[in-house]
Amino acid sequence: MSNGPITEADLQAHVDGRLAPEREQEVRVWLAAHPEDAERLSAYRVQMGALREALRGVAEEPLPAALDLRVRVPRRTRWTALRAAAVAAGAAGLMLLGGAGGWALRDRSIPPQAGTAALAREAVSSYAVYASDTARPVELPATQLETLDRWFSQRLGRAIRAPDLRAASLTLIGGRLVPSAHGAAALYLYQDPEGRRLVVYLRPMAVEGTDRMQARRAEGVTGWTWANAGLGFGVFGTAPESDLHGAADIVRSQLARI
């Protein structure tokens, strides 16, 4: 029995050898009918193999003597043992101080892992990958909208439907399911008369299930995020900020009750 349309997550899992046997067979059949994607995945495998080979020597190098305590620590007298203990205590203190400093700076060095800030990062990454794809930016086109909405609803566990953004001069191209660290996310892709593309990104929220609309900007992409009743939303693109804000307002109005 089919497990549904083949997604990019399935293809990446196929490359990594992480698919269940039944799904693996479905992906192989699908790739036989999509030679361009089969060629792309083959190139990924070549890159992975080259990377492993390039790093093999480093991984197999013996531990340098300067870092091997079994070499560096000779028999010690009671005095040298006490001195080493004192040094170790001092080092432990420095580690504690360093750890405290690192914890204080964690938010500056670690990308957001939850909430709408993380959703924004995911949406921008998806925009970078799919909005520029001229060959196959979506898995299901707008002509199969009913199937697309039903598929998203099943995978996200709640009723999902594509926003109608014709009032903002945006035409729906289609959509695809994308993976995130928080499970499956739905991605609708639109295009304006100038050819600029916009994504509407949705996924369930374990943190910040309700959050106000906030402007976001990253890597030249502008957008807005918010959350309502456990569902997070992101609207991102490269159109003028006022146009994007207007589109986000329409999305929020139409999807407020899903």
Side-chain angles (χ1 to χ4, degrees):
M1 183 176 67
S2 174
N3 291 314
I6 302 300
T7 69
E8 185 66 23
D10 291 324
L11 298 180
Q12 295 300 329
H14 166 73
V15 172
D16 295 337
R18 295 186 289 103
L19 281 177
E22 180 182 351
R23 191 59 167 171
E24 176 69 24
Q25 181 59 32
E26 292 179 358
V27 169
R28 289 181 182 276
V29 171
W30 187 90
L31 287 173
H34 297 81
E36 291 184 359
D37 287 283
E39 183 177 355
R40 175 168 63 92
L41 297 191
S42 178
Y44 287 170
R45 291 194 188 91
V46 172
Q47 292 173 356
M48 291 170 61
L51 184 60
R52 291 194 188 97
E53 188 61 31
L55 297 177
R56 185 187 304 278
V58 176
E60 296 176 353
E61 285 181 2
L63 186 67
L67 299 178
D68 192 340
L69 294 180
R70 294 171 299 177
V71 175
R72 297 195 60 191
V73 181
R75 289 188 176 183
R76 297 173 295 179
T77 63
R78 186 170 186 274
W79 166 250
T80 56
L82 290 173
R83 184 174 60 182
V87 171
L94 289 174
M95 289 176 65
L96 287 173
L97 288 174
W103 177 254
L105 295 174
R106 68 193 184 282
D107 291 333
R108 301 184 184 181
S109 59
I110 301 176
Q113 302 298 313
T116 53
L119 183 145
R121 180 167 50 84
E122 298 162 13
V124 168
S125 296
S126 293
Y127 182 91
V129 172
Y130 300 116
S132 61
D133 191 335
T134 58
R136 194 166 181 265
V138 298
E139 290 177 297
L140 290 178
T143 54
Q144 300 181 45
L145 181 56
E146 184 177 343
T147 300
L148 182 63
D149 285 346
R150 183 167 60 249
W151 180 33
F152 284 173
S153 298
Q154 291 172 349
R155 294 303 303 270
L156 271 64
R158 57 198 302 166
I160 302 294
R161 66 176 185 275
D164 183 351
L165 299 182
R166 287 175 294 181
S169 300
L170 287 159
T171 302
L172 178 66
I173 297 174
R176 63 166 59 241
L177 200 70
V178 296
S180 80
H182 308 277
L187 185 77
Y188 290 105
L189 183 63
Y190 296 79
Q191 184 166 298
D192 69 11
E194 285 73 35
R196 295 173 301 212
R197 291 181 171 178
L198 173 145
V199 297
V200 176
Y201 183 92
L202 308 89
R203 71 162 168 82
M205 303 290 290
V207 177
E208 292 182 354
T210 299
D211 192 28
R212 63 183 178 84
M213 179 178 277
Q214 300 182 62
R216 309 281 187 179
R217 183 185 299 274
E219 301 177 15
V221 181
T222 301
W224 275 263
T225 62
W226 68 95
N228 181 48
L231 190 64
F233 302 85
V235 175
F236 286 87
T238 55
E241 187 171 324
S242 59
D243 293 348
L244 291 170
H245 197 181
D249 283 337
I250 295 174
V251 172
R252 185 172 58 166
S253 174
Q254 293 183 4
L255 305 188
R257 292 179 295 277
I258 68 171

